[in-house]
Amino acid sequence: MTPQILAGEWLDIGWVNEIPVRGARTVQVEGGDDIAVFRTGENRVFALLDRCPHKHGRLSQGIVHGGAVACPLHNWRISLSTGEALGEDKGCTPVVPVKISGGRVLICRASTLKAAA
């Protein structure tokens, strides 16, 4: 993704079309866990801490199915909107608020720092 630009409480991380459909890009957080930014087949964008609540697999390397991502380690399905494990699995990964403005993806700076800490 392109360099991060601070815009008040929101961090501009690049163009929507830089995130592959049904895929993810990561935002590196100095001194903390990365943030995974996902784009669904319906062109919706979500951001989660890039760590599965089960065995800490990198969710950014998983496959996006509808509104969930499958962890690449043990196939846990994590809701992109809530961060909750789906089905019989239990656990949650922090959600980072995200919005689109003029085709640019913005994530909440304060939430990013809190989630990554």
Side-chain angles (χ1 to χ4, degrees):
M1 299 201 84
T2 56
Q4 302 169 3
I5 303 167
L6 292 177
E9 291 300 309
W10 294 92
L11 184 64
D12 182 329
I13 61 168
W15 295 102
V16 168
N17 62 6
E18 291 178 330
I19 305 168
V21 174
R22 293 182 202 87
R25 289 287 185 255
T26 57
V27 176
Q28 293 181 341
V29 177
E30 188 174 328
D33 290 313
D34 291 348
I35 302 298
V37 183
F38 301 92
R39 183 173 164 203
T40 68
E42 294 77 33
N43 215 30
R44 296 183 64 206
V45 178
F46 298 91
L48 299 171
L49 188 69
D50 194 16
R51 184 180 60 192
C52 178
H54 176 226
K55 296 277 185 175
H56 303 273
R58 292 181 53 97
L59 295 175
S60 61
Q61 296 174 0
I63 298 172
V64 175
H65 298 281
V69 61
C71 176
L73 293 182
H74 297 100
N75 208 32
W76 275 38
R77 291 180 50 246
I78 308 298
S79 168
L80 294 173
S81 60
T82 67
E84 299 266 344
L86 301 173
E88 294 180 20
D89 299 321
K90 301 292 181 220
C92 188
T93 192
V95 174
V96 175
V98 63
K99 68 180 181 177
I100 307 299
S101 178
R104 304 285 295 180
V105 179
L106 301 125
I107 59 176
C108 180
R109 185 165 49 113
S111 295
T112 297
L113 294 174
K114 182 179 178 183

